[in-house]
Amino acid sequence: MAGYTHHNKVRLIHGGQDFFTTIVQLVDGAKTTIHLQTYIFDADETGRLVSDALLRAAARGVQVFILLDGYASQHLSKQLIGEWKSAGIRFRWFAPLFRSKHFYMGRRLHHKVIVVDASQGMAGGVNISDRYNDIGNQKAWLDRALLVEGEAAMNLHLICGDMWTKAYWKTANPKKDKFTPLPGYSPPDECLVRVRRNDWVQGKNEISRSYVEMFRNAESRIIVLSAYFLPGKILRKYMVQAAKRGVVIKIIVGGVSDVKISRLAEQFMYRWLFRNNMQVYEYQDSILHGKMATYDGIWMTDGSYNVNRISAYASIELNMDVRNEAFAAGVEAEMEEIIRDHCIRIIPKEYFKKTSLFQRLCQRLAYQGIRVLLFLFTFYFRQEKESKPGERATRQPRSNPASSP
């Protein structure tokens, strides 16, 4: 199995209290090194909970590296950043806006990863903010993460170190940190896990390929749980092929959304999904923010990747694929439970009957508007080509991928 590591323990972590209890436990158990890289870090109650754990780790002599997206976390208080730096925590912004001559509109650090001592790591779709946590009567947004121990965690550690050193995108004399080599840990358990990344600028589209492989290889059933579900032409082609083979495809989207234009654009997609015999379910309990999929009870993926072109072409994303029948079957059963107990199925005849001409017009305008936004956010002046050690990186003009087939 190409790209998979064998010796791993894996656990599915629920967003909310489960996730934040786990992250604090990971940080409190760290002995040498912590990498935390995420899209949103707010200085609210949840952010303070995580920050306090990181400060405790730094006080024990643990090396702590924090890398945050320069756009989504730009309102983080200077006071909190000052506390981190005073405690010896190494902090950086990823690609601050308008900082570099390598200017890529919309390119953001969207992955959410923590890795401890190169032996345990967690990645998913959960940001560090109160809205992703269970606080009082507030129910956390629906999200998931994968906790991994073993060889895959070492891969996460190496990726985070690489992202840290490239945070300033090779501006003049960037500060380099020499990371202490760590042995990692390989448990006797065998569970196939591979770390997948998307970063169009660096020529990586591994997660997009994982989704294509899922629709190409599935024989009986697929479930996709996705916020902001707007698949591009390539993925739609493989979805149609799978449906024609008789594969039952279930799509779980949010009944409400934090991005209203995305919600309307998703609803415009319903017609295409119905025409191709795919089932649509809307989650009702809270905002759906998760990004997870499974097929045939043998494989699953989870991470930061949304099924749309921003994740495919404009953001840095990270997922983990797990190929293990027992684990994948458990995830599939949980997704079926979400469908049964927390969703309503959208029936085509009833949906079209309830949707007015004005609503359809709004949906079409939202869909076309999203396409324009995707064009803007995925326009790159240059794509940097990976170079071999000792060679200079080359840069090539790149057409807008959003306009490609």
Side-chain angles (χ1 to χ4, degrees), residues 4-10 118-119 148-155 184-194:
Y4 285 94
T5 57
H6 290 258
H7 296 286
N8 302 284
K9 291 181 180 180
V10 184
S119 60
V148 64
E149 180 179 359
E151 294 172 331
M154 173 59 81
N155 288 347
Y185 170 65
S186 294
D189 309 62
E190 183 162 318
C191 182
L192 295 177
V193 180
R194 65 180 177 183

PDB file of all heavy atoms in Angstrom, residues 4-10 118-119 148-155 184-194:
ATOM      1  N   TYR A   4       1.552   4.179   2.990  1.00  0.00           N
ATOM      2  CA  TYR A   4       1.034   3.835   4.314  1.00  0.00           C
ATOM      3  C   TYR A   4       2.160   3.394   5.251  1.00  0.00           C
ATOM      4  O   TYR A   4       3.094   2.696   4.839  1.00  0.00           O
ATOM      5  CB  TYR A   4       0.011   2.698   4.221  1.00  0.00           C
ATOM      6  CG  TYR A   4      -1.335   3.112   3.687  1.00  0.00           C
ATOM      7  CD1 TYR A   4      -1.634   2.983   2.324  1.00  0.00           C
ATOM      8  CD2 TYR A   4      -2.313   3.634   4.528  1.00  0.00           C
ATOM      9  CE1 TYR A   4      -2.872   3.357   1.824  1.00  0.00           C
ATOM     10  CE2 TYR A   4      -3.553   4.014   4.034  1.00  0.00           C
ATOM     11  CZ  TYR A   4      -3.826   3.875   2.685  1.00  0.00           C
ATOM     12  OH  TYR A   4      -5.052   4.249   2.197  1.00  0.00           O
ATOM     13  N   THR A   5       2.061   3.807   6.502  1.00  0.00           N
ATOM     14  CA  THR A   5       2.904   3.250   7.552  1.00  0.00           C
ATOM     15  C   THR A   5       2.092   2.170   8.259  1.00  0.00           C
ATOM     16  O   THR A   5       0.859   2.201   8.275  1.00  0.00           O
ATOM     17  CB  THR A   5       3.325   4.329   8.557  1.00  0.00           C
ATOM     18  OG1 THR A   5       2.150   4.950   9.115  1.00  0.00           O
ATOM     19  CG2 THR A   5       4.170   5.400   7.881  1.00  0.00           C
ATOM     20  N   HIS A   6       2.775   1.202   8.862  1.00  0.00           N
ATOM     21  CA  HIS A   6       2.098   0.012   9.357  1.00  0.00           C
ATOM     22  C   HIS A   6       1.857   0.019  10.860  1.00  0.00           C
ATOM     23  O   HIS A   6       0.803  -0.429  11.326  1.00  0.00           O
ATOM     24  CB  HIS A   6       2.907  -1.235   8.973  1.00  0.00           C
ATOM     25  CG  HIS A   6       2.873  -1.532   7.507  1.00  0.00           C
ATOM     26  ND1 HIS A   6       2.078  -2.515   6.955  1.00  0.00           N
ATOM     27  CD2 HIS A   6       3.533  -0.961   6.464  1.00  0.00           C
ATOM     28  CE1 HIS A   6       2.248  -2.542   5.636  1.00  0.00           C
ATOM     29  NE2 HIS A   6       3.128  -1.610   5.318  1.00  0.00           N
ATOM     30  N   HIS A   7       2.822   0.474  11.629  1.00  0.00           N
ATOM     31  CA  HIS A   7       2.741   0.321  13.082  1.00  0.00           C
ATOM     32  C   HIS A   7       2.171   1.583  13.726  1.00  0.00           C
ATOM     33  O   HIS A   7       2.878   2.544  14.015  1.00  0.00           O
ATOM     34  CB  HIS A   7       4.122  -0.014  13.642  1.00  0.00           C
ATOM     35  CG  HIS A   7       4.642  -1.328  13.153  1.00  0.00           C
ATOM     36  ND1 HIS A   7       4.149  -2.533  13.609  1.00  0.00           N
ATOM     37  CD2 HIS A   7       5.577  -1.625  12.229  1.00  0.00           C
ATOM     38  CE1 HIS A   7       4.774  -3.517  12.990  1.00  0.00           C
ATOM     39  NE2 HIS A   7       5.649  -3.001  12.149  1.00  0.00           N
ATOM     40  N   ASN A   8       0.873   1.559  13.929  1.00  0.00           N
ATOM     41  CA  ASN A   8       0.171   2.718  14.481  1.00  0.00           C
ATOM     42  C   ASN A   8      -1.005   2.287  15.338  1.00  0.00           C
ATOM     43  O   ASN A   8      -1.610   1.223  15.123  1.00  0.00           O
ATOM     44  CB  ASN A   8      -0.386   3.596  13.339  1.00  0.00           C
ATOM     45  CG  ASN A   8       0.672   4.087  12.388  1.00  0.00           C
ATOM     46  OD1 ASN A   8       1.416   5.004  12.695  1.00  0.00           O
ATOM     47  ND2 ASN A   8       0.740   3.471  11.209  1.00  0.00           N
ATOM     48  N   LYS A   9      -1.330   3.116  16.323  1.00  0.00           N
ATOM     49  CA  LYS A   9      -2.593   3.057  17.038  1.00  0.00           C
ATOM     50  C   LYS A   9      -3.398   4.284  16.629  1.00  0.00           C
ATOM     51  O   LYS A   9      -2.842   5.385  16.555  1.00  0.00           O
ATOM     52  CB  LYS A   9      -2.381   3.085  18.553  1.00  0.00           C
ATOM     53  CG  LYS A   9      -1.732   1.845  19.144  1.00  0.00           C
ATOM     54  CD  LYS A   9      -1.619   2.013  20.659  1.00  0.00           C
ATOM     55  CE  LYS A   9      -0.974   0.799  21.311  1.00  0.00           C
ATOM     56  NZ  LYS A   9      -0.868   0.980  22.791  1.00  0.00           N
ATOM     57  N   VAL A  10      -4.683   4.117  16.388  1.00  0.00           N
ATOM     58  CA  VAL A  10      -5.507   5.238  15.920  1.00  0.00           C
ATOM     59  C   VAL A  10      -6.805   5.283  16.721  1.00  0.00           C
ATOM     60  O   VAL A  10      -7.392   4.243  17.044  1.00  0.00           O
ATOM     61  CB  VAL A  10      -5.845   5.098  14.415  1.00  0.00           C
ATOM     62  CG1 VAL A  10      -6.624   6.305  13.918  1.00  0.00           C
ATOM     63  CG2 VAL A  10      -4.585   4.931  13.599  1.00  0.00           C
ATOM     64  N   ALA A 118       7.271  13.478  18.738  1.00  0.00           N
ATOM     65  CA  ALA A 118       7.378  12.697  17.500  1.00  0.00           C
ATOM     66  C   ALA A 118       6.745  11.322  17.625  1.00  0.00           C
ATOM     67  O   ALA A 118       6.975  10.449  16.784  1.00  0.00           O
ATOM     68  CB  ALA A 118       8.845  12.554  17.066  1.00  0.00           C
ATOM     69  N   SER A 119       5.932  11.103  18.659  1.00  0.00           N
ATOM     70  CA  SER A 119       5.356   9.780  18.884  1.00  0.00           C
ATOM     71  C   SER A 119       3.833   9.777  18.930  1.00  0.00           C
ATOM     72  O   SER A 119       3.203   8.749  18.695  1.00  0.00           O
ATOM     73  CB  SER A 119       5.898   9.182  20.180  1.00  0.00           C
ATOM     74  OG  SER A 119       5.568  10.001  21.292  1.00  0.00           O
ATOM     75  N   VAL A 148      -3.237   9.675  16.587  1.00  0.00           N
ATOM     76  CA  VAL A 148      -2.395   8.577  16.116  1.00  0.00           C
ATOM     77  C   VAL A 148      -1.141   8.473  16.970  1.00  0.00           C
ATOM     78  O   VAL A 148      -0.578   9.481  17.399  1.00  0.00           O
ATOM     79  CB  VAL A 148      -2.039   8.765  14.620  1.00  0.00           C
ATOM     80  CG1 VAL A 148      -1.191  10.017  14.405  1.00  0.00           C
ATOM     81  CG2 VAL A 148      -1.318   7.550  14.066  1.00  0.00           C
ATOM     82  N   GLU A 149      -0.734   7.250  17.218  1.00  0.00           N
ATOM     83  CA  GLU A 149       0.498   6.976  17.948  1.00  0.00           C
ATOM     84  C   GLU A 149       1.315   5.989  17.127  1.00  0.00           C
ATOM     85  O   GLU A 149       0.810   4.945  16.719  1.00  0.00           O
ATOM     86  CB  GLU A 149       0.164   6.367  19.319  1.00  0.00           C
ATOM     87  CG  GLU A 149       1.380   6.038  20.179  1.00  0.00           C
ATOM     88  CD  GLU A 149       0.997   5.462  21.532  1.00  0.00           C
ATOM     89  OE1 GLU A 149      -0.208   5.346  21.804  1.00  0.00           O
ATOM     90  OE2 GLU A 149       1.918   5.125  22.303  1.00  0.00           O
ATOM     91  N   GLY A 150       2.573   6.349  16.828  1.00  0.00           N
ATOM     92  CA  GLY A 150       3.403   5.446  16.052  1.00  0.00           C
ATOM     93  C   GLY A 150       4.076   6.132  14.884  1.00  0.00           C
ATOM     94  O   GLY A 150       4.401   7.325  14.929  1.00  0.00           O
ATOM     95  N   GLU A 151       4.269   5.375  13.812  1.00  0.00           N
ATOM     96  CA  GLU A 151       5.046   5.850  12.668  1.00  0.00           C
ATOM     97  C   GLU A 151       4.400   7.068  11.991  1.00  0.00           C
ATOM     98  O   GLU A 151       5.107   7.967  11.530  1.00  0.00           O
ATOM     99  CB  GLU A 151       5.209   4.716  11.654  1.00  0.00           C
ATOM    100  CG  GLU A 151       6.046   3.556  12.174  1.00  0.00           C
ATOM    101  CD  GLU A 151       6.035   2.350  11.249  1.00  0.00           C
ATOM    102  OE1 GLU A 151       5.019   2.158  10.539  1.00  0.00           O
ATOM    103  OE2 GLU A 151       7.029   1.614  11.235  1.00  0.00           O
ATOM    104  N   ALA A 152       3.081   7.101  11.922  1.00  0.00           N
ATOM    105  CA  ALA A 152       2.410   8.246  11.294  1.00  0.00           C
ATOM    106  C   ALA A 152       2.660   9.526  12.080  1.00  0.00           C
ATOM    107  O   ALA A 152       2.741  10.617  11.503  1.00  0.00           O
ATOM    108  CB  ALA A 152       0.908   7.983  11.172  1.00  0.00           C
ATOM    109  N   ALA A 153       2.802   9.404  13.415  1.00  0.00           N
ATOM    110  CA  ALA A 153       3.092  10.583  14.235  1.00  0.00           C
ATOM    111  C   ALA A 153       4.475  11.142  13.915  1.00  0.00           C
ATOM    112  O   ALA A 153       4.675  12.367  13.930  1.00  0.00           O
ATOM    113  CB  ALA A 153       2.987  10.242  15.716  1.00  0.00           C
ATOM    114  N   MET A 154       5.430  10.267  13.626  1.00  0.00           N
ATOM    115  CA  MET A 154       6.748  10.746  13.209  1.00  0.00           C
ATOM    116  C   MET A 154       6.642  11.523  11.899  1.00  0.00           C
ATOM    117  O   MET A 154       7.281  12.569  11.727  1.00  0.00           O
ATOM    118  CB  MET A 154       7.711   9.569  13.046  1.00  0.00           C
ATOM    119  CG  MET A 154       9.061   9.949  12.440  1.00  0.00           C
ATOM    120  SD  MET A 154       9.971  11.196  13.391  1.00  0.00           S
ATOM    121  CE  MET A 154      10.703  10.147  14.664  1.00  0.00           C
ATOM    122  N   ASN A 155       5.799  11.055  10.970  1.00  0.00           N
ATOM    123  CA  ASN A 155       5.594  11.797   9.728  1.00  0.00           C
ATOM    124  C   ASN A 155       5.006  13.175   9.998  1.00  0.00           C
ATOM    125  O   ASN A 155       5.404  14.173   9.378  1.00  0.00           O
ATOM    126  CB  ASN A 155       4.672  11.014   8.789  1.00  0.00           C
ATOM    127  CG  ASN A 155       5.352   9.794   8.180  1.00  0.00           C
ATOM    128  OD1 ASN A 155       6.571   9.664   8.257  1.00  0.00           O
ATOM    129  ND2 ASN A 155       4.566   8.911   7.602  1.00  0.00           N
ATOM    130  N   GLY A 184      11.035   8.693  18.101  1.00  0.00           N
ATOM    131  CA  GLY A 184       9.664   8.303  17.812  1.00  0.00           C
ATOM    132  C   GLY A 184       9.316   7.012  18.538  1.00  0.00           C
ATOM    133  O   GLY A 184      10.035   6.553  19.428  1.00  0.00           O
ATOM    134  N   TYR A 185       8.212   6.398  18.121  1.00  0.00           N
ATOM    135  CA  TYR A 185       7.757   5.184  18.787  1.00  0.00           C
ATOM    136  C   TYR A 185       6.934   4.365  17.812  1.00  0.00           C
ATOM    137  O   TYR A 185       6.073   4.891  17.112  1.00  0.00           O
ATOM    138  CB  TYR A 185       6.911   5.554  20.013  1.00  0.00           C
ATOM    139  CG  TYR A 185       6.181   4.378  20.636  1.00  0.00           C
ATOM    140  CD1 TYR A 185       6.881   3.336  21.226  1.00  0.00           C
ATOM    141  CD2 TYR A 185       4.785   4.324  20.611  1.00  0.00           C
ATOM    142  CE1 TYR A 185       6.217   2.260  21.792  1.00  0.00           C
ATOM    143  CE2 TYR A 185       4.107   3.254  21.180  1.00  0.00           C
ATOM    144  CZ  TYR A 185       4.832   2.222  21.763  1.00  0.00           C
ATOM    145  OH  TYR A 185       4.170   1.156  22.319  1.00  0.00           O
ATOM    146  N   SER A 186       7.200   3.070  17.738  1.00  0.00           N
ATOM    147  CA  SER A 186       6.451   2.174  16.868  1.00  0.00           C
ATOM    148  C   SER A 186       5.749   1.121  17.718  1.00  0.00           C
ATOM    149  O   SER A 186       6.388   0.185  18.207  1.00  0.00           O
ATOM    150  CB  SER A 186       7.376   1.481  15.854  1.00  0.00           C
ATOM    151  OG  SER A 186       7.919   2.411  14.955  1.00  0.00           O
ATOM    152  N   PRO A 187       4.458   1.265  17.937  1.00  0.00           N
ATOM    153  CA  PRO A 187       3.736   0.279  18.737  1.00  0.00           C
ATOM    154  C   PRO A 187       3.632  -1.049  17.995  1.00  0.00           C
ATOM    155  O   PRO A 187       3.748  -1.109  16.766  1.00  0.00           O
ATOM    156  CB  PRO A 187       2.349   0.923  18.903  1.00  0.00           C
ATOM    157  CG  PRO A 187       2.209   1.820  17.732  1.00  0.00           C
ATOM    158  CD  PRO A 187       3.587   2.315  17.416  1.00  0.00           C
ATOM    159  N   PRO A 188       3.425  -2.135  18.737  1.00  0.00           N
ATOM    160  CA  PRO A 188       3.307  -3.437  18.080  1.00  0.00           C
ATOM    161  C   PRO A 188       2.034  -3.572  17.247  1.00  0.00           C
ATOM    162  O   PRO A 188       1.954  -4.415  16.352  1.00  0.00           O
ATOM    163  CB  PRO A 188       3.294  -4.422  19.252  1.00  0.00           C
ATOM    164  CG  PRO A 188       2.822  -3.621  20.428  1.00  0.00           C
ATOM    165  CD  PRO A 188       3.342  -2.242  20.206  1.00  0.00           C
ATOM    166  N   ASP A 189       1.030  -2.735  17.552  1.00  0.00           N
ATOM    167  CA  ASP A 189      -0.222  -2.785  16.792  1.00  0.00           C
ATOM    168  C   ASP A 189       0.035  -2.479  15.324  1.00  0.00           C
ATOM    169  O   ASP A 189       0.914  -1.683  14.986  1.00  0.00           O
ATOM    170  CB  ASP A 189      -1.218  -1.763  17.347  1.00  0.00           C
ATOM    171  CG  ASP A 189      -1.398  -1.886  18.852  1.00  0.00           C
ATOM    172  OD1 ASP A 189      -0.395  -1.688  19.565  1.00  0.00           O
ATOM    173  OD2 ASP A 189      -2.516  -2.153  19.292  1.00  0.00           O
ATOM    174  N   GLU A 190      -0.759  -3.092  14.452  1.00  0.00           N
ATOM    175  CA  GLU A 190      -0.626  -2.810  13.021  1.00  0.00           C
ATOM    176  C   GLU A 190      -1.917  -2.195  12.507  1.00  0.00           C
ATOM    177  O   GLU A 190      -2.981  -2.817  12.533  1.00  0.00           O
ATOM    178  CB  GLU A 190      -0.293  -4.078  12.230  1.00  0.00           C
ATOM    179  CG  GLU A 190      -0.085  -3.793  10.750  1.00  0.00           C
ATOM    180  CD  GLU A 190       0.654  -4.908  10.020  1.00  0.00           C
ATOM    181  OE1 GLU A 190       1.629  -5.433  10.573  1.00  0.00           O
ATOM    182  OE2 GLU A 190       0.236  -5.228   8.903  1.00  0.00           O
ATOM    183  N   CYS A 191      -1.806  -0.956  12.080  1.00  0.00           N
ATOM    184  CA  CYS A 191      -2.925  -0.232  11.473  1.00  0.00           C
ATOM    185  C   CYS A 191      -2.347   0.648  10.381  1.00  0.00           C
ATOM    186  O   CYS A 191      -1.457   1.479  10.647  1.00  0.00           O
ATOM    187  CB  CYS A 191      -3.655   0.603  12.523  1.00  0.00           C
ATOM    188  SG  CYS A 191      -5.089   1.500  11.868  1.00  0.00           S
ATOM    189  N   LEU A 192      -2.805   0.469   9.168  1.00  0.00           N
ATOM    190  CA  LEU A 192      -2.258   1.213   8.035  1.00  0.00           C
ATOM    191  C   LEU A 192      -2.762   2.652   8.062  1.00  0.00           C
ATOM    192  O   LEU A 192      -3.966   2.911   8.015  1.00  0.00           O
ATOM    193  CB  LEU A 192      -2.663   0.565   6.720  1.00  0.00           C
ATOM    194  CG  LEU A 192      -2.117  -0.847   6.451  1.00  0.00           C
ATOM    195  CD1 LEU A 192      -2.666  -1.381   5.137  1.00  0.00           C
ATOM    196  CD2 LEU A 192      -0.602  -0.851   6.437  1.00  0.00           C
ATOM    197  N   VAL A 193      -1.814   3.595   8.144  1.00  0.00           N
ATOM    198  CA  VAL A 193      -2.144   5.021   8.168  1.00  0.00           C
ATOM    199  C   VAL A 193      -1.189   5.752   7.233  1.00  0.00           C
ATOM    200  O   VAL A 193       0.023   5.484   7.243  1.00  0.00           O
ATOM    201  CB  VAL A 193      -2.018   5.621   9.586  1.00  0.00           C
ATOM    202  CG1 VAL A 193      -2.364   7.115   9.564  1.00  0.00           C
ATOM    203  CG2 VAL A 193      -2.901   4.879  10.579  1.00  0.00           C
ATOM    204  N   ARG A 194      -1.709   6.664   6.430  1.00  0.00           N
ATOM    205  CA  ARG A 194      -0.831   7.518   5.638  1.00  0.00           C
ATOM    206  C   ARG A 194      -1.253   8.972   5.823  1.00  0.00           C
ATOM    207  O   ARG A 194      -2.430   9.289   5.910  1.00  0.00           O
ATOM    208  CB  ARG A 194      -0.842   7.145   4.161  1.00  0.00           C
ATOM    209  CG  ARG A 194      -2.156   7.342   3.443  1.00  0.00           C
ATOM    210  CD  ARG A 194      -2.048   6.930   1.970  1.00  0.00           C
ATOM    211  NE  ARG A 194      -3.332   7.059   1.284  1.00  0.00           N
ATOM    212  CZ  ARG A 194      -3.539   6.704   0.012  1.00  0.00           C
ATOM    213  NH1 ARG A 194      -2.546   6.196  -0.707  1.00  0.00           N
ATOM    214  NH2 ARG A 194      -4.731   6.853  -0.536  1.00  0.00           N
TER     215      ARG A 194
END
